[in-house]
Amino acid sequence: MSRLEAKKPPLFISEPLTRDAVSQSLSLLSGILKSSYGPAGRLKQLHNGVGGCVCTTSQSSALLGHLSLSQPVLRVLTASVRNHVSRFSDCGLFTAILCCGFIENFRSLNVAPFTVIKISKHLLSLCMDHLKSEACGCRVSVDFSSVETLVCLVRSILTSKPACMLNKTEVGHLTSLVLKAFIFTVPRHVETNAVLGKCVVIPVKGGRVVDSTVLPGLLIEAPEIQLGKPLAVKRTGSNMINIALFSVSMSGDGSNPEEGTIAVHHGVSLEVSELNQLLNVGKQLVKDEVGLVVCQKVMHPSLKQFLKEQGVVAVDRAGLSLMEPLGHVTGSQPIASIHSLPPGCYGSLKDLCVESFASKHFLHLIPEDTVICSLILCNRSETAWDELKRVCETAEHVLQLTVKEPLALLGGGCTETHLASYIRHKSSSLPASTFRDLGCSQTQYQLVAEGFCRSLESVARSLSHDGEEVLTDVVYGHCWFVPPGSPCVSRWSGLVSKCGCGLRGSTEDLSWSCLQGQSGSPVLQGCPQEPSVKAADLRVLDCFSAKCSGLQVALETANLILDLSYIIEDQN
């Protein structure tokens, strides 16, 4: 068939970063991300304009997932950040803001992109070497024998998202629950290849946050279970409860395409045959002393009634998301056919009881030993609950990452300003051989280093949303915030009490400089001092693994975009 319209040639866009449309889009995205950053970040309301749900959030995963971007450059940037978030769950906004800062600061330099990329990679290696060294002043060791640092880490994550709408009491309650849930997921008997368990979040929307709780084992919503009546459940001779887990539909409608083609003889009712087969399965389950049957999909009412009469608890519509944790909790293998029950498919439970939360009834599956727990999460509205669920899942993931690498970084902008101070000091004392190896002049190196430091400081400045003056001290390189409307004074110590992370106090003999504007902080006479860290003094901590990855992803993505010479778009 011939084409109705001639094929159009592709569109070639040379030097995309010099185009006004790209610059304006990048600046707009950067502004959206910066205004969402931190505990005082402004919320964004996202919807598609043609109906559907409305998302109110300041989280990077929700923001970038709902934004529709037309510029290829921005799609590259957001794809990199979303990939980082999918692996680490945390520091998405940090990564995106820093990447935008690198692009904006580096492209304004009168230095060839190839040279900028080489120098920036060297600066990144200096940062990473510093962060991984024992002498690093913005790194904190996490001691799992004490909860102080872990509490600070979880609390920092919970308070960073204002859409959760939590007060101080609720933050403290949820911090304890998240830590308790995490401890439940740690195996009691550590083996060579120990695997952490999972926390399943159970939604209870409309309840009070302080009514949230965590229970070992698994909860399955069971609206048909009546509270107050004793739960009669069939047990084995060893007083355990056998469980059968079905991943196939047990509705009796014969609509299981995975079972193949069914040939029906004349005069035979397919529905009756299916029901008879289901009842045969039920009889086999009773014979095998099964006490609990859970079906991922729908179960025929007649089968449920038969099982109930035999003392077997039956739950259907469990859903796909519960199948994996159900297998972990009970040791059962999902049964994929109603025509055969494979040997060894049953699991077991220690006990089974009924729990009720905010008019919802649940079956509580209590195993002998498990690394699965249920976090019953309550919040006042659906919007706040959605945001809180994402935050709690992030906190759990951060704790898992911290087990693998028991370190944290100072929050509140202090790591960014400390690194900027360190790079300024380090870059001012490099030997001439470094510039020869990089193929650049000392002037070019200093220009790129200054752009690198300004990008880091722009992240710290993004924490200010109400006109606070942002400072850095010239001793430790920490970040400080002066309340808006404060009088102009010659000494800042009368206006600030603690730095962003809470580690340093204004009672020390410090001097400060402003971070506002493009001049940056002055080069220190020496390397930033490394203060001793006391967990009790800390107010804000960040995940070490997530932030280190974010720093690398931000620079690598910025360098990729800076190196773009052409964008080729298909017009058909």
Side-chain angles (χ1 to χ4, degrees):
M1 181 178 176
S2 61
R3 290 180 176 273
L4 298 176
E5 185 180 345
K7 189 175 181 179
K8 297 177 183 178
L11 176 65
F12 288 83
I13 303 173
S14 62
E15 302 299 333
L17 288 182
T18 62
R19 303 294 176 114
D20 289 341
V22 175
S23 299
Q24 290 169 5
S25 298
L26 184 66
S27 179
L28 178 60
L29 178 64
S30 178
I32 291 171
L33 298 170
K34 286 180 178 179
S35 66
S36 306
Y37 192 50
R42 303 305 190 243
L43 302 182
K44 306 295 178 290
Q45 197 168 72
L46 305 162
H47 58 92
N48 58 19
V50 291
C53 64
V54 176
C55 176
T56 303
T57 185
S58 62
Q59 279 198 342
S60 61
S61 56
L63 276 172
L64 300 181
H66 285 79
L67 285 177
S68 179
L69 303 170
S70 59
Q71 292 291 346
V73 168
L74 299 191
R75 290 205 294 266
V76 169
L77 191 157
T78 56
S80 280
V81 175
R82 292 182 71 184
N83 181 58
H84 160 81
V85 173
S86 70
R87 294 171 56 224
F88 293 91
S89 299
D90 198 22
C91 295
L93 286 176
F94 163 81
T95 304
I97 294 168
L98 185 58
C99 183
C100 291
F102 283 142
I103 296 169
E104 291 171 353
N105 282 302
F106 289 163
R107 70 175 179 172
S108 62
L109 302 176
N110 189 23
V111 182
F114 179 70
T115 305
V116 170
I117 291 170
K118 286 197 299 182
I119 296 172
S120 65
K121 286 181 177 178
H122 184 260
L123 292 167
L124 176 64
S125 68
L126 292 179
C127 282
M128 298 310 298
D129 290 344
H130 180 59
L131 289 172
K132 292 178 180 179
S133 71
E134 293 289 338
C136 178
C138 57
R139 198 178 81 162
V140 179
S141 294
V142 177
D143 181 8
F144 279 87
S145 64
S146 171
V147 298
E148 285 183 329
T149 311
L150 295 174
V151 165
C152 183
L153 189 57
V154 173
R155 186 178 60 233
S156 300
I157 296 169
L158 292 176
T159 56
S160 67
K161 304 303 173 191
C164 296
M165 297 187 288
L166 303 175
N167 58 38
K168 187 175 180 180
T169 302
E170 292 167 343
V171 169
H173 179 67
L174 286 174
T175 298
S176 300
L177 289 185
V178 170
L179 283 172
K180 188 177 179 181
F182 171 70
I183 292 170
F184 276 134
T185 66
V186 178
R188 293 183 182 179
H189 309 291
V190 180
E191 301 173 0
T192 306
N193 297 316
V195 178
L196 293 174
K198 184 177 182 180
C199 174
V200 178
V201 179
I202 308 296
V204 180
K205 301 172 185 178
R208 300 186 308 160
V209 175
V210 291
D211 291 334
S212 301
T213 188
V214 62
L215 297 171
L218 198 59
L219 291 182
I220 304 177
E221 189 170 354
E224 299 175 5
I225 300 293
Q226 294 182 356
L227 193 65
K229 289 189 176 181
L231 191 62
V233 56
K234 193 179 185 70
R235 293 178 179 267
T236 64
S238 57
N239 203 34
M240 298 294 286
I241 301 170
N242 282 343
I243 173 174
L245 183 60
F246 286 86
S247 59
V248 67
S249 173
M250 304 181 79
S251 62
D253 58 8
S255 59
N256 296 324
E258 64 270 17
E259 302 242 346
T261 305
I262 300 175
V264 182
H265 296 287
H266 179 70
V268 176
S269 170
L270 180 59
E271 289 77 10
V272 173
S273 298
E274 282 280 314
L275 179 56
N276 288 335
Q277 179 58 37
L278 287 172
L279 293 175
N280 288 335
V281 171
K283 292 173 184 176
Q284 184 63 47
L285 293 172
V286 172
K287 182 181 177 181
D288 293 340
E289 296 185 307
V290 171
L292 173 64
V293 179
V294 179
C295 181
Q296 176 187 332
K297 301 177 182 178
V298 179
M299 188 181 295
H300 196 286
S302 298
L303 176 60
K304 293 176 77 172
Q305 182 62 32
F306 170 78
L307 293 173
K308 182 180 179 181
E309 292 171 355
Q310 302 298 319
V312 179
V313 178
V315 180
D316 63 350
R317 295 183 174 91
L320 178 62
S321 61
L322 280 179
M323 297 303 284
E324 183 185 353
L326 272 169
H328 279 299
V329 166
T330 64
S332 57
Q333 300 295 322
I335 301 167
S337 172
I338 61 171
H339 296 284
S340 63
L341 299 178
C345 62
Y346 301 143
S348 63
L349 291 170
K350 179 182 178 181
D351 201 1
L352 186 67
C353 62
V354 180
E355 301 283 355
S356 180
F357 300 96
S359 76
K360 285 188 174 184
H361 301 325
F362 299 88
L363 277 179
H364 183 194
L365 281 62
I366 305 171
E368 188 73 37
D369 188 17
T370 183
V371 289
I372 303 290
C373 67
S374 297
L375 173 61
I376 298 90
L377 193 60
C378 309
N379 211 339
R380 290 169 286 274
S381 67
E382 186 170 353
T383 296
W385 187 91
D386 291 340
E387 190 85 345
L388 187 58
K389 176 178 182 288
R390 287 190 289 263
V391 169
C392 289
E393 289 173 343
T394 297
E396 182 198 8
H397 193 185
V398 164
L399 290 172
Q400 291 172 350
L401 293 170
T402 307
V403 169
K404 297 177 184 176
E405 198 165 14
L407 297 167
L409 289 173
L410 301 179
C414 289
T415 290
E416 290 84 348
T417 54
H418 176 89
L419 282 177
S421 297
Y422 175 79
I423 289 297
R424 284 196 176 96
H425 162 74
K426 197 74 175 175
S427 61
S428 65
S429 57
L430 290 173
S433 59
T434 302
F435 309 128
R436 287 197 300 271
D437 294 341
L438 292 171
C440 68
S441 66
Q442 184 175 3
T443 302
Q444 288 175 322
Y445 191 96
Q446 291 292 346
L447 284 171
V448 176
E450 186 58 32
F452 190 97
C453 294
R454 285 203 303 267
S455 301
L456 286 167
E457 290 169 341
S458 72
V459 180
R461 288 201 304 272
S462 299
L463 289 167
S464 170
H465 299 283
D466 297 305
E468 299 98 333
E469 192 82 32
V470 186
L471 314 174
T472 181
D473 68 82
V474 296
V475 177
Y476 302 110
H478 281 219
C479 184
W480 305 72
F481 297 91
V482 179
S486 299
C488 295
V489 293
S490 57
R491 289 182 60 85
W492 293 109
S493 57
L495 299 176
V496 293
S497 57
K498 287 279 188 179
C499 66
C501 71
L503 188 61
R504 312 314 312 171
S506 61
T507 53
E508 300 181 54
D509 186 17
L510 301 176
S511 57
W512 293 271
S513 66
C514 291
L515 280 188
Q516 307 292 350
Q518 296 297 310
S519 59
S521 57
V523 177
L524 306 187
Q525 296 299 316
C527 186
Q529 292 183 23
E530 319 300 348
S532 59
V533 177
K534 295 180 180 178
D537 296 331
L538 293 168
R539 291 191 300 192
V540 188
L541 283 176
D542 291 328
C543 176
F544 181 84
S545 300
K547 202 147 203 177
C548 287
S549 171
L551 178 57
Q552 295 176 81
V553 168
L555 186 68
E556 289 166 2
T557 305
N559 285 343
L560 172 66
I561 292 172
L562 288 167
D563 205 27
L564 288 175
S565 296
Y566 282 93
I567 292 176
I568 305 170
E569 290 188 16
D570 188 1
Q571 298 294 290
N572 299 287

